[in-house]
Amino acid sequence: MNVVGLTTSHEVYIASKERKFRMNELILIEDPNQGPVIGEVSETFSYNRYIPFSVNHDFFDAKVIESLKRLGYSIDEEEVNVAKVKLMTETTYPIVTGSKARVPQFFEVKNLLIKGKKEEGLVLGEIKHTEETALTMEDELKGLFYVLNKGSAEKTKGVPFILDLRSFQQYPHIGIFGGSGSGKSFGMRVIMEELMKKRIPSIILDPHYEMDFSNSSGLPESPDFTFEFQKFQIGEDIGVEFSALSARDLLDLLSAVKPLTEAMSSAVEILFKKGDTYTSFSSRIEDLCEGLEMGKTKLDKMLSVEGLKDSEREKYKRLRELIEEYSNIPLPSVQGISWRLKRLYYSGIFSHDINPVVNALKAGKLSVIQGPIWLLQVFATYILSSLYRKRRDYKDGELKGEIGHEYFPPFVVATDEAHNFAPKGYDAPSKGIIKEIAQEGRKYGVFLVLATQRPTLLDETVTAQLNTKIIFRTVRGNDISTIMEETDLSSEEAKRLPYLPSGDAFVSTPLFGRTIAIRIRYPYSISPHIKNPFDELVEQSKKEKDEYFNLIAEELPIYETTLLKAAKNISSKNPKVVLEVNALKNILEELVREGKLKKEESPFGSFYTEA
Amino acid sequence: MKKEENFTDVSEDLKEKIKETAEKLRERISKRPKRERIRTVIEENYIGEFLKADKLSESELDEIKLKGGIAGVDGSINSIGGVYPYLFYIKRALGLSSEKRREEILLSEVDSPLLLDDLMDEEEYKALLKKGLAELEAKAAKEALERFNPKVLFLDGSLVRFKIEAKDYFEQIKNIALNKNVIVAGIVEGISTSLISSLIRELLPSVFKYSADWEILLGIMDMGEYLEIKPGLFKEGFRTFFMRSSIDPKPIGVDILEEQKEYAKFVANLVYTLTPENSRGIPLWMDIIDKRVKIRDPFMEMVAKSYLGEDFMEVLTPKREKRNP
């Protein structure tokens, strides 16, 4: 390998006849005057001077090239490999053309590749194309995990990519961007696994019900995460404590069911009293509803009726007072609030609290919060605010020297579909708290891991606070330009984004000061629903056909003239099956096509029989 | 502004003149006899025979490979410096075998007219240079024969050129080739002979009386067709054929040794096989060697600067090259 052509003090070209270059490889250039200089391959070319670019040119005749090969002269071997190499640090003078270049030894580039100890960081995967350099790496860093290579999991041969946990103090938040199928979910899973391995208290919002870590992906020596995480269903395991709600929280909750009208919102603000329990609030709503339905006149009339039971009199009086007090609230608004409140109630959300999550966090576990997306969003607002407040109160108390604040650990908040929780351009209940954590979470040790396939739709303030960005394959143009604005990805790297293989990603982090191409390690656990829906369809239809075949088998042979009888027999023997003649004929024909039955001719017409 | 006016003045005038000349030339084309007519005249007057070459099959190519493959030799001249005699010439000759494991033969010589005892004029020196290059190529060819043992050896240019310019080497080449049964073929890209017109002058329209062979043969052969010239008419000691080896209507020339005349068809087939259809008609093999032996100017300059020294280069470089572009 040699430096060729025009050089600058930040970029050179390196050519080699024998060795092919790979993107993002580190190359050491031995400049005779300036000593060793490290660079990274930013573009690769290979060219063959005998097979020029132009198709109309002299040489493009495959037959001739083939004939020459036959004679022993293979033009392919005349290939020259060229790499554009960006220097890590600018040199004082341009590199000397002709300088030798080589693959560096591990110790020569260690500080560029490894930041932090493997025990103290998240080991997310391998740095791409570092196999050669990794040969000279310390044994304790070798083969730490598995990577997927052409469909099968193999032990890594590269240099590990370690995201130092200590660095979170300085660069607290992580963004994960990438389209569907890009490996984004795997990336999220790997981060969660690493957090569990380090016993970092974490909470993940799981709208897709996929964050289960108890199924092993089949790798040898995989850790058991069964006791490192806990799943919580909103409304079943956890919920909100109604009495702890503020009017704002309640509004968010209600509007999550269906957006509230202006009138409804103000009605809630008027009707909700601090310290209300679910019962006190809901009965107030119900009573007001009833009162408004009856109307003042009717209520007065009822109250003037003789011989009314005391309890009834009480009730009418109460209703009368209520409509007096809230006379300006229209009935439809109250009704709207009423059904929203009921829907929330039936989801079970008010029957539980968040203590299980608090306990899990204190135990250093990962809490997986699951629920339908409409509920998850509001609930997230509630739970994140509560947890964040607990941590903030503890830390602030500590700072002020106050004792007696209950200890609450630092924690990581993660979510996929982050653009739903902190959307750009419009308001969402959870946006406020996520923005707050993004901006000042660092101070309190609350960190975000936000994944989205649409970085463009994510709130800009939040995006700007994501210091470390892991970028998987992205196809949309506007997402790519957002990514380019928000990271130090070069335009060459951005051009590669649509073509990144699944599981490959660029990591842009101030910790490394440059973009690193990595391959995410293969997770130890797998998502519970990884079965392809089309496999499922095929399986299902095969199952059905087998069932029909068994039913029909008993009636064989079936003559075309006795179809009706056969259909009746089958239906009568199997109460669940209702078969009429045409359907039976279709199934028979289908089975003939599949070769399970055959159709034969006889003097009595054609008949179906076993093949 | 004035400059532009001048420019248009000249171009108007120039346009007219070019038009006139072009028209005269076009007349020349229109007077060209028909394709069939030329072919008949050539055949009836026993100048040569139109034959058809075939592409070699894989097994035929394998056979060549088993017998040593093919080899080729080409040369190049580069100059560094300024105006004669203030310059250097670098002559190079490259011999290459299709057998990859055989090392290539690369011979070089560096000359400068300044080193002569008596200064000769430029034309004379150029002729000497040409002869020197032919000798160097012939030397490389001889080495190629000895070291590569190929089945076929291609040389760049007519074999006559070697016979004239590098007589001693050529005799040696011939002997070795005949002894080892290596077929030697010269590939001529730019045909400069006028054999056909000299033989049938009276049968041609007056404008074509002195036409070069390529002009007469232009477009009258199909792809893969070649005109084998009857023995005795041309280049004593050699067999020559003109061939349309690609879609380019201009033929190339191929020489082989008279002693190897029975291989004419085989050589034609091989040339046809190795020539890309869309090319100008030269076998790819010869183009590969040509590309390898040529030194690009920037590289040359670099080498010169590092070995001659910047100061000496300064002496050689003419003022005009320092002109701003």
Side-chain angles (χ1 to χ4, degrees):
Chain A
M1 286 188 253
N2 286 90
V3 175
V4 294
L6 200 64
T7 66
T8 67
S9 49
H10 58 267
E11 201 170 64
V12 297
Y13 286 92
I14 289 180
S16 166
K17 253 193 120 165
E18 296 79 28
R19 194 178 182 285
K20 288 192 191 295
F21 293 101
R22 293 181 302 175
M23 295 296 283
N24 303 104
E25 253 183 332
L26 291 183
I27 300 284
L28 187 141
I29 300 155
E30 289 168 338
D31 186 296
N33 307 325
Q34 305 179 88
V37 179
I38 310 277
E40 186 183 20
V41 174
S42 65
E43 253 182 290
T44 56
F45 317 85
S46 85
Y47 102 112
N48 190 321
R49 53 184 162 160
Y50 303 126
I51 311 177
F53 185 61
S54 157
V55 184
N56 298 323
H57 203 282
D58 283 11
F59 303 142
F60 198 82
D61 188 333
K63 270 183 271 166
V64 172
I65 290 168
E66 198 43 50
S67 300
L68 263 183
K69 202 183 236 169
R70 207 85 204 174
L71 288 171
Y73 193 89
S74 159
I75 273 189
D76 320 352
E77 289 162 27
E78 295 295 315
E79 190 180 69
V80 177
N81 301 294
V82 181
K84 189 169 167 187
V85 174
K86 258 196 281 181
L87 305 181
M88 286 290 153
T89 44
E90 216 174 68
T91 52
T92 322
Y93 308 104
I95 298 291
V96 174
T97 304
S99 295
K100 278 217 174 77
R102 62 177 167 85
V103 176
Q105 301 265 308
F106 181 69
F107 74 89
E108 291 168 313
V109 286
K110 181 172 180 178
N111 59 346
L112 291 170
L113 295 175
I114 304 270
K115 309 265 183 190
K117 296 192 181 114
K118 67 169 185 218
E119 294 80 13
E120 293 172 0
L122 309 180
V123 183
L124 298 186
E126 63 176 26
I127 302 181
K128 294 273 291 175
H129 307 317
T130 48
E131 290 87 344
E132 281 165 272
T133 304
L135 291 174
T136 48
M137 181 168 66
E138 292 98 314
D139 284 343
E140 61 152 25
L141 287 173
K142 281 185 188 164
L144 293 181
F145 45 82
Y146 287 78
V147 286
L148 206 56
N149 189 7
K150 293 187 185 105
S152 61
E154 287 172 9
K155 211 158 215 172
T156 168
K157 295 190 186 76
V159 175
F161 177 78
I162 301 170
L163 207 55
D164 189 6
L165 279 169
R166 300 290 177 281
S167 71
F168 276 53
Q169 172 89 40
Q170 214 182 339
Y171 311 116
H173 308 302
I174 300 177
I176 305 176
F177 304 145
S180 55
S182 66
K184 178 172 52 97
S185 301
F186 275 86
M188 185 60 119
R189 176 167 289 273
V190 166
I191 292 179
M192 291 302 118
E193 286 182 359
E194 288 294 315
L195 289 171
M196 282 190 277
K197 271 165 79 179
K198 300 283 168 342
R199 302 194 61 84
I200 310 287
S202 313
I203 173 169
I204 182 165
L205 309 173
D206 180 19
H208 303 315
Y209 295 88
E210 61 181 2
M211 285 298 161
D212 186 302
F213 301 89
S214 44
N215 298 328
S216 162
S217 65
L219 291 181
E221 46 193 284
S222 30
D224 183 7
F225 293 115
T226 319
F227 301 105
E228 305 301 329
F229 79 101
Q230 264 181 294
K231 275 197 288 188
F232 300 106
Q233 300 280 342
I234 302 169
E236 270 172 46
D237 309 304
I238 48 172
V240 303
E241 226 174 310
F242 196 89
S243 54
L245 287 178
S246 68
R248 181 75 235 159
D249 293 339
L250 184 60
L251 281 173
D252 286 343
L253 277 171
L254 290 170
S255 59
V257 180
K258 203 182 172 197
L260 296 168
T261 63
E262 199 112 323
M264 288 182 205
S265 298
S266 44
V268 171
E269 274 162 18
I270 296 166
L271 288 165
F272 181 76
K273 302 249 180 316
K274 190 93 183 125
D276 254 341
T277 62
Y278 175 73
T279 332
S280 67
F281 181 67
S282 64
S283 52
R284 188 175 309 129
I285 298 284
E286 291 315 306
D287 285 352
L288 183 59
C289 235
E290 205 182 331
L292 285 172
E293 264 168 27
M294 289 175 81
K296 209 186 263 179
T297 344
K298 196 170 173 202
L299 275 173
D300 284 343
K301 215 163 111 194
M302 291 303 282
L303 279 170
S304 61
V305 171
E306 293 290 322
L308 204 63
K309 267 193 238 156
D310 276 358
S311 61
E312 276 178 68
R313 183 170 301 278
E314 269 307 296
K315 184 183 164 192
Y316 291 132
K317 246 177 102 181
R318 203 170 67 235
L319 297 190
R320 182 70 178 79
E321 278 163 20
L322 270 175
I323 59 170
E324 196 66 39
E325 187 179 351
Y326 304 114
S327 58
N328 47 359
I329 300 178
L331 176 63
S333 295
V334 187
Q335 284 167 328
I337 295 166
S338 169
W339 80 259
R340 281 174 177 80
L341 191 66
K342 273 187 195 135
R343 175 134 184 232
L344 282 175
Y345 179 74
Y346 290 124
S347 76
I349 196 170
F350 296 131
S351 337
H352 305 271
D353 54 30
I354 58 166
N355 287 336
V357 175
V358 172
N359 292 334
L361 285 182
K362 284 183 175 170
K365 287 188 186 182
L366 167 67
S367 298
V368 180
I369 312 290
Q370 299 182 327
I373 188 97
W374 68 269
L375 198 54
L376 197 57
Q377 238 189 61
V378 235
F379 185 72
T381 319
Y382 170 75
I383 192 169
L384 293 184
S385 317
S386 309
L387 299 175
Y388 184 64
R389 207 177 303 131
K390 278 181 198 294
R391 173 67 186 165
R392 197 181 55 196
D393 289 349
Y394 167 72
K395 273 309 256 188
D396 284 346
E398 193 189 53
L399 274 176
K400 286 181 208 148
E402 296 166 7
I403 36 169
H405 279 284
E406 198 194 349
Y407 176 70
F408 198 80
F411 60 98
V412 175
V413 176
T415 182
D416 199 350
E417 311 294 353
H419 59 273
N420 287 332
F421 294 95
K424 173 158 75 183
Y426 65 96
D427 214 20
S430 45
K431 187 162 153 178
I433 179 66
I434 289 184
K435 240 166 129 168
E436 192 178 339
I437 298 178
Q439 283 171 316
E440 54 169 30
R442 182 164 79 122
K443 226 164 42 183
Y444 300 112
V446 180
F447 311 114
L448 291 173
V449 179
L450 300 182
T452 174
Q453 37 180 324
R454 300 301 320 277
T456 313
L457 303 184
L458 191 63
D459 181 77
E460 281 135 322
T461 322
V462 174
T463 314
Q465 295 293 332
L466 301 171
N467 320 76
T468 298
K469 295 182 180 79
I470 304 175
I471 303 131
F472 289 88
R473 182 176 61 229
T474 303
V475 182
R476 271 171 201 270
N478 53 358
D479 286 334
I480 292 176
S481 42
T482 306
I483 288 167
M484 281 184 75
E485 272 168 38
E486 297 291 341
T487 63
D488 53 2
L489 231 67
S490 68
S491 55
E492 282 129 21
E493 284 156 340
K495 263 186 237 152
R496 285 163 63 197
L497 278 180
Y499 311 105
L500 279 187
S502 181
D504 277 16
F506 289 115
V507 183
S508 160
T509 160
L511 197 57
F512 280 75
R514 68 196 159 104
T515 302
I516 312 264
I518 67 165
R519 164 146 281 250
I520 289 286
R521 73 162 172 78
Y522 195 66
Y524 296 117
S525 58
I526 50 165
S527 155
H529 41 84
I530 208 132
K531 194 193 241 178
N532 188 309
F534 292 100
D535 290 341
E536 195 184 298
L537 270 180
V538 171
E539 263 174 43
Q540 190 59 32
S541 92
K542 192 179 171 308
K543 215 169 106 195
E544 273 175 21
K545 257 183 223 138
D546 286 348
E547 275 168 18
Y548 276 122
F549 181 71
N550 291 337
L551 292 177
I552 288 162
E554 294 171 23
E555 304 295 322
L556 291 174
I558 301 172
Y559 284 83
E560 286 210 313
T561 45
T562 61
L563 273 175
L564 182 65
K565 202 180 116 210
K568 270 187 183 161
N569 278 347
I570 293 169
S571 304
S572 62
K573 276 189 221 164
N574 303 279
K576 274 201 237 161
V577 181
V578 181
L579 208 57
E580 43 93 30
V581 177
N582 272 335
L584 177 62
K585 194 170 153 74
N586 284 341
I587 293 166
L588 288 168
E589 288 294 334
E590 177 92 350
L591 289 168
V592 168
R593 272 199 295 278
E594 279 177 17
K596 284 191 172 165
L597 292 182
K598 61 184 177 193
K599 191 175 180 182
E600 283 183 1
E601 298 299 325
S602 83
F604 313 105
S606 47
F607 67 99
Y608 300 92
T609 180
E610 249 171 291
Chain B
M1 276 327 250
K2 200 166 177 243
K3 212 173 172 185
E4 267 179 36
E5 279 166 24
N6 265 338
F7 178 73
T8 39
D9 285 349
V10 172
S11 87
E12 271 308 312
D13 177 49
L14 200 58
K15 253 199 251 168
E16 271 315 304
K17 285 185 177 152
I18 290 174
K19 249 191 209 164
E20 272 170 40
T21 318
E23 240 145 62
K24 277 180 200 156
L25 286 176
R26 206 166 288 133
E27 224 177 85
R28 187 181 170 91
I29 296 170
S30 67
K31 282 190 182 146
R32 246 183 94 85
K34 292 243 159 41
R35 172 190 155 107
E36 282 316 313
R37 167 91 186 119
I38 302 178
R39 289 173 71 105
T40 319
V41 167
I42 287 173
E43 280 181 327
E44 279 177 355
N45 288 278
Y46 301 101
I47 294 171
E49 196 181 347
F50 287 100
L51 298 165
K52 181 89 185 68
D54 301 306
K55 300 242 175 187
L56 293 176
S57 68
E58 287 187 355
S59 61
E60 285 167 312
L61 289 165
D62 288 347
E63 211 183 306
I64 299 175
K65 182 176 160 46
L66 287 176
K67 287 181 179 161
I70 59 173
V73 172
D74 196 1
S76 72
I77 293 191
N78 284 73
S79 67
I80 317 167
V83 186
Y84 185 86
Y86 299 98
L87 30 63
F88 278 82
Y89 288 100
I90 301 183
K91 286 177 283 191
R92 304 213 312 166
L94 174 73
L96 201 65
S97 166
S98 63
E99 290 295 302
K100 272 265 160 121
R101 62 197 154 81
R102 298 192 200 278
E103 232 173 86
E104 57 187 41
I105 296 163
L106 184 57
L107 307 176
S108 344
E109 266 176 20
V110 182
D111 272 325
S112 171
L114 288 176
L115 299 175
L116 294 171
D117 293 335
D118 288 311
L119 192 61
M120 53 174 78
D121 70 55
E122 194 172 349
E123 286 308 309
E124 215 178 327
Y125 188 79
K126 282 259 166 76
L128 201 65
L129 214 53
K130 232 178 94 192
K131 186 175 159 58
L133 181 67
E135 276 172 357
L136 200 64
E137 283 180 50
K139 196 174 162 193
K142 188 190 149 207
E143 269 188 48
L145 284 172
E146 284 167 343
R147 280 190 20 212
F148 297 161
N149 287 316
K151 179 64 197 158
V152 184
L153 171 67
F154 286 111
L155 299 180
D156 179 48
S158 153
L159 293 184
V160 183
R161 168 183 164 231
F162 294 101
K163 192 181 169 185
I164 297 166
E165 308 266 23
K167 198 165 174 24
D168 288 351
Y169 278 120
F170 182 72
E171 287 309 317
Q172 292 178 42
I173 290 171
K174 193 170 150 183
N175 285 335
I176 302 170
L178 294 177
N179 269 333
K180 290 191 168 182
N181 197 23
V182 180
I183 304 159
V184 180
I187 305 290
V188 185
E189 185 173 359
I191 299 168
S192 54
T193 54
S194 319
L195 173 79
I196 303 171
S197 56
S198 72
L199 290 173
I200 50 168
R201 193 156 289 159
E202 65 286 356
L203 299 172
L204 291 170
S206 58
V207 281
F208 292 104
K209 279 200 155 77
Y210 299 97
S211 283
D213 291 328
W214 70 260
E215 195 190 359
I216 308 263
L217 294 174
L218 182 77
I220 69 159
M221 288 187 280
D222 292 331
M223 210 162 79
E225 222 177 354
Y226 63 101
L227 172 66
E228 191 176 334
I229 303 295
K230 293 273 187 238
L233 293 178
F234 199 29
K235 298 182 183 174
E236 204 181 325
F238 302 99
R239 281 296 171 106
T240 295
F241 55 85
F242 297 108
M243 180 173 199
R244 181 175 178 185
S245 51
S246 70
I247 50 164
D248 193 331
K250 261 187 214 172
I252 61 161
V254 181
D255 290 340
I256 59 170
L257 297 169
E258 175 67 34
E259 290 84 347
Q260 296 178 326
K261 59 175 187 280
E262 71 269 26
Y263 292 111
K265 165 83 172 153
F266 170 75
V267 171
N269 290 347
L270 183 59
V271 167
Y272 186 39
T273 308
L274 293 182
T275 306
E277 218 168 85
N278 299 315
S279 74
R280 64 190 200 285
I282 296 298
L284 178 59
W285 179 238
M286 290 312 282
D287 260 336
I288 287 175
I289 302 171
D290 176 63
K291 281 216 167 172
R292 288 189 103 154
V293 75
K294 273 204 181 114
I295 312 176
R296 283 177 311 119
D297 283 346
F299 180 75
M300 197 70 194
E301 208 166 291
M302 209 180 81
V303 172
K305 270 188 188 154
S306 43
Y307 293 103
L308 294 176
E310 295 261 0
D311 48 350
F312 196 75
M313 276 298 286
E314 189 62 36
V315 175
L316 289 181
T317 313
K319 258 196 175 10
R320 120 175 86 93
E321 270 182 29
K322 294 182 185 169
R323 211 189 299 172
N324 286 330

